[in-house]
Amino acid sequence: MKLNTPRWWYIRDSSHARVTRTVLKPLGWIWAGVTASKIAKTTPVDPGCAVISVGNLTVGGSGKTPVARETLRLLRATGVEAHGLSRGYGGGLEGPVQVDPAVHTAADVGDEPLMLAQNAPVWISRDRIAGARAAVADGAQAVVLDDGHQNPALKKTVSLIVVDGETRGDEWPFGDGSVFPSGPKREPLKAGLARADAVVVMLPTDVDAADPELLELFGDLPVFIARLTPEGPPPSGPQVGFAGIAKPWKVERSLKAAGCDLVDFVPFPDHAAYSAENMRFLEDRAAVYGAGLVTTEKDWVRLTPDQRARVAAWPVVARFEDQAAFADFLTGRIQSAR
């Protein structure tokens, strides 16, 4: 059974859930040790093309997949034949297989690859090396690896770290600094940044600038600012929102900031598969308020065609403050690696 992301993970003050954090701390040390050992013992393989890894240092909720999608778009706009590559989390196919949104479902390939495949060729493969080689055989000059920072299988041309820039109130992207499961981090900050070539800070649309204290953590690494930008307004009239992502409260906040008449919001676990019972519950909530149902694009692709007909999707895309600088950074690294 999937569980909702603990909100206290992202609270900087370690006095929140102190007992739980303390009990789980030794498991975090083990997790970090296993990750470090795997990376140290693996010799990365060159698949025969540039590899741009888009990852993060936390277990989710940073905006990694939208950045991967935008990276694919920008590379292809510059004439680079870029393909996406994902493990296909949540899908049943092992791959390598090229994602076809007209044929595959989230149950086949996962929700994130379906989103990426709307705009570019995308492959899913449990074996990242085999997936990259399949993309190269299909003509890929570059592979954008979604969620690849802790996977050492492929030799990376560029390693990007995506960080949630929300620091208002008591929120902090790395919580109190603990590693999963006592906190949200996949590995210690210093270790993760040592393998990074640049950082993408994902800011909320209603925040003007990144927190200087957050930026200081990244030292001399290049930092690019991006925002999740709605492709259109939320649906009109009262709405009941729902989301099964790592930080569902961010969707609620964003809908309100975009002017949605949000009368209720229901969080689900990340990558939740919506059952008939879930949908009946949501539809009953909407009926109470005389409202429609709205969710994220990532959630919408996990719905059945019948369920989609009763739910509005609210797509958002990542956009960089300095798009040209980010594109030049990527192409410059690719060219220098040839």
Side-chain angles (χ1 to χ4, degrees):
M1 182 180 70
K2 294 181 178 180
L3 301 176
N4 290 75
T5 303
R7 187 73 179 262
W8 54 262
W9 267 2
Y10 298 98
I11 296 176
R12 196 174 187 180
D13 183 357
S14 60
S15 65
H16 289 268
R18 183 187 297 276
V19 173
T20 304
R21 290 181 193 264
T22 301
V23 170
L24 295 176
K25 188 79 71 174
L27 295 177
W29 298 334
I30 295 172
W31 180 282
V34 169
T35 299
S37 177
K38 179 180 72 173
I39 292 170
K41 292 179 179 179
T42 301
T43 301
V45 172
D46 183 349
C49 72
V51 175
I52 294 86
S53 170
V54 181
N56 54 18
L57 302 180
T58 57
V59 293
S62 63
K64 166 182 53 61
T65 300
V67 170
R69 190 177 188 178
E70 178 67 354
T71 300
L72 277 167
R73 186 185 74 84
L74 291 173
L75 286 174
R76 294 178 68 82
T78 63
V80 176
E81 180 59 26
H83 291 205
L85 175 60
S86 170
R87 178 182 178 275
Y89 180 83
L93 297 179
E94 291 189 5
V97 63
Q98 186 170 358
V99 178
D100 184 346
V103 174
H104 295 127
T105 67
D108 298 322
V109 297
D111 48 19
E112 291 164 345
L114 278 179
M115 289 175 57
L116 294 173
Q118 302 297 321
N119 310 104
V122 173
W123 299 77
I124 61 105
S125 181
R126 299 287 191 269
D127 182 336
R128 302 292 182 93
I129 298 172
R133 286 174 172 165
V136 170
D138 195 53
Q141 298 171 311
V143 164
V144 176
L145 183 60
D146 187 24
D147 195 15
H149 196 61
Q150 287 76 30
N151 188 310
L154 293 172
K155 182 180 179 182
K156 294 159 186 171
T157 310
V158 181
S159 288
L160 302 173
I161 295 295
V162 185
V163 176
D164 182 3
E166 178 61 82
T167 59
R168 291 173 292 186
D170 57 4
E171 289 191 43
W172 192 251
F174 308 114
D176 75 338
S178 297
V179 173
F180 177 88
S182 63
K185 289 167 62 177
R186 295 182 174 189
E187 58 181 319
L189 185 66
K190 184 178 180 180
L193 291 178
R195 303 193 313 279
D197 296 302
V199 175
V200 177
V201 175
M202 186 67 71
L203 287 186
T205 54
D206 56 343
V207 171
D208 292 332
D211 189 327
E213 185 179 359
L214 178 63
L215 296 180
E216 286 180 9
L217 295 177
F218 309 134
D220 295 330
L221 287 173
V223 176
F224 299 96
I225 304 299
R227 285 180 169 82
L228 286 178
T229 304
E231 291 196 299
S236 59
Q239 300 292 322
V240 170
F242 66 97
I245 64 172
K247 295 180 180 178
W249 59 87
K250 291 184 64 177
V251 177
E252 180 180 13
R253 183 184 293 157
S254 296
L255 281 167
K256 290 178 178 178
C260 182
D261 181 10
L262 196 66
V263 295
D264 196 9
F265 187 84
V266 183
F268 287 89
D270 196 12
H271 300 284
Y274 294 105
S275 64
E277 183 180 359
N278 293 148
M279 294 307 299
R280 281 194 298 270
F281 171 78
L282 291 168
E283 289 169 354
D284 287 346
R285 295 298 296 167
V288 168
Y289 295 103
L293 289 169
V294 61
T295 193
T296 70
E297 183 181 12
K298 179 179 173 180
D299 289 277
W300 195 81
V301 299
R302 294 200 302 274
L303 301 176
T304 66
D306 181 60
Q307 292 170 341
R308 292 176 184 175
R310 308 194 298 275
V311 178
W314 189 54
V316 295
V317 292
R319 290 291 183 262
F320 286 87
E321 284 189 349
D322 193 337
Q323 175 179 298
F326 181 69
D328 287 346
F329 171 79
L330 292 177
T331 55
R333 289 299 181 101
I334 291 173
Q335 290 169 0
S336 65
R338 288 175 178 171

